[in-house]
């Protein structure tokens, strides 16, 4: 993830770095480019999301309402991408640090 985004992420700073949801929305933008390429080449691509999360805030506090909105935008996008519900973390897993491994596994 860090290499894709040009960020230095490791096990010590990953959760802290993504906690406000901004970087995961940024990651969704990068992934969306591949989704778009796939959609163009496959007949069933029209069922995939056509846009990554929009209007997210990279600079908001991890405990702010904006952070919750960022995370929800990412989760909505992941569901549109048809990530199984059992593989998607809950907002509180990241925002309240209730399930860090769920976040990492998503």
């Amino acid at each position: 993830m860090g290499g894709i985004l040009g960020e230095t992420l490791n096990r010590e700073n990953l959760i802290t770095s993504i906690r406000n949801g901004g970087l995961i929305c940024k990651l969704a933008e990068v992934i969306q480019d591949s989704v778009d390429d796939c959609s163009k080449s496959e007949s069933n691509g029209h069922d995939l999301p056509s846009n990554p999360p929009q209007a997210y805030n990279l600079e908001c506090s991890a405990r702010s309402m904006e952070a919750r909105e960022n995370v929800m935008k990412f989760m909505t996008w992941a569901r549109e991408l048809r990530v199984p519900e059992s593989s998607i973390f809950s907002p509180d897993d990241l925002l309240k640090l209730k399930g860090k491994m769920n976040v990492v596994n998503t």
Side-chain angles (χ1 to χ4, degrees):
M1 180 174 166
I4 292 170
L5 297 175
E7 301 281 337
T8 302
L9 300 174
N10 55 47
R11 60 187 296 180
E12 286 80 32
N13 72 358
L14 176 65
I15 296 298
T16 303
S17 297
I18 67 171
R19 191 165 174 204
N20 76 356
L23 280 182
I24 58 176
C25 287
K26 188 175 174 183
L27 177 65
E29 283 185 342
V30 175
I31 294 170
Q32 185 66 49
D33 290 338
S34 295
V35 170
D36 293 343
D37 291 343
C38 178
S39 294
K40 291 175 189 172
S41 66
E42 303 216 5
S43 61
N44 66 350
H46 64 276
D47 292 338
L48 297 174
S50 57
N51 292 306
Q54 302 292 303
Y56 58 88
N57 185 338
L58 282 169
E59 303 300 323
C60 64
S61 163
R63 294 182 178 230
S64 69
M65 200 61 193
E66 291 171 313
R68 182 166 290 278
E69 290 171 8
N70 284 347
V71 172
M72 294 303 295
K73 288 174 184 180
F74 173 80
M75 293 174 69
T76 297
W77 176 83
R79 286 184 179 104
E80 289 173 359
L81 194 62
R82 297 187 295 223
V83 174
E85 197 64 36
S86 62
S87 297
I88 297 176
F89 63 88
S90 76
D92 287 345
D93 286 342
L94 180 57
L95 296 168
K96 294 183 179 180
L97 304 177
K98 289 186 174 185
K100 294 183 211 176
M101 286 311 298
N102 292 338
V103 175
V104 172
N105 290 334
T106 297

